[in-house]
Amino acid sequence: FHVWRALHAEGPYVRLTSQPVPSTAPAGGGASYRYEDRSVQAGQQYWYRIQSLPDEQLFGPVSDGVQLRHRLYLPVMVH
């Protein structure tokens, strides 16, 4: 499939992938895919759609806020 992204659910959407995203599943193991959008900015909300191939049907939109790669662990304090 191809991945599309927009700043708003209604678009406009821009295709991010120049080649279809390949399956990462072992042979005969079903379908598993991974795509990492490396051109996002922290704090910005993005909307994504995927386009199946070869029929070019679009699915979505779905959204997820961008999180930084670093994790901050804080102690839990209970009274």
Side-chain angles (χ1 to χ4, degrees):
F1 61 86
H2 282 293
V3 179
W4 296 73
R5 183 183 75 195
L7 296 177
H8 306 282
E10 56 279 352
Y13 283 82
V14 174
R15 192 170 90 181
L16 300 177
T17 51
S18 59
Q19 297 293 319
V21 175
S23 173
T24 60
S32 180
Y33 299 89
R34 179 185 172 127
Y35 177 80
E36 191 171 317
D37 187 352
R38 295 177 179 252
S39 62
V40 296
Q41 295 179 357
Q44 176 66 54
Q45 183 174 22
Y46 296 96
W47 293 85
Y48 294 90
R49 298 186 83 177
I50 59 170
Q51 181 182 34
S52 62
L53 299 172
D55 63 359
E56 298 186 356
Q57 184 177 358
L58 287 168
F59 298 92
V62 295
S63 181
D64 192 10
V66 175
Q67 300 175 359
L68 297 176
R69 289 184 165 270
H70 303 284
R71 291 192 175 121
L72 176 62
Y73 294 96
L74 300 172
V76 175
M77 299 175 72
V78 180
H79 284 279

